[in-house]
Amino acid sequence: MSISATPSTLSLANRFLEEYAAKHNLAGEILKDVPDAVFEVRSKSDRWVTVFARVVDWLDAGARIGILLDEPSGSASVYRSDELPQIFHNGDELVIPDVLPGFAVPVRRFFE
């Protein structure tokens, strides 16, 4: 799989890929540019399905989470490969302690 787009906002260390490569004797063969967390932003002019497809592409490539910041609804949805999404609304605080320890941002701040 190849990803033609870059994440809209954030790219983090991907130690889980390094662990996977070591475990499966794939050192040097794993794509090093897949982040742990990807933020994609849907503006008012974007189609939701297009932005969601980019999140899915990143998850398929090995990102641990994809966060879709949806400007029209003022929400943030956190996607993982094998789980239902977590949806954070305008009055909520976005926290993902297993992937982004210490990260806590009110959702409304993304849209100010």
Side-chain angles (χ1 to χ4, degrees):
M1 155 159 299
S2 68
I3 297 176
S4 59
T6 58
S8 298
T9 308
L10 180 66
S11 176
L12 299 172
N14 53 5
R15 67 183 172 278
F16 75 99
L17 281 178
E18 293 167 7
E19 292 169 7
Y20 180 86
K23 184 185 288 187
H24 297 283
N25 201 23
L26 297 172
E29 298 180 35
I30 295 289
L31 176 67
K32 293 291 185 184
D33 293 335
V34 177
D36 284 340
V38 174
F39 283 70
E40 289 287 352
V41 179
R42 176 184 172 233
S43 66
K44 293 176 182 172
S45 62
D46 291 326
R47 292 182 52 218
W48 183 88
V49 69
T50 302
V51 179
F52 177 72
R54 288 196 308 255
V55 171
V56 171
D57 285 345
W58 281 106
L59 293 173
D60 287 346
R64 292 174 62 190
I65 60 171
I67 299 104
L68 195 155
L69 299 173
D70 188 47
E71 183 183 4
S73 70
S75 66
S77 300
V78 178
Y79 295 91
R80 298 169 189 266
S81 290
D82 295 324
E83 296 180 24
L84 293 173
Q86 287 179 278
I87 300 173
F88 297 84
H89 299 283
N90 200 345
D92 297 335
E93 188 169 65
L94 179 62
V95 293
I96 312 148
D98 59 317
V99 179
L100 301 172
F103 180 84
V105 177
V107 171
R108 72 179 179 284
R109 295 283 313 271
F110 290 109
F111 306 108
E112 292 177 346

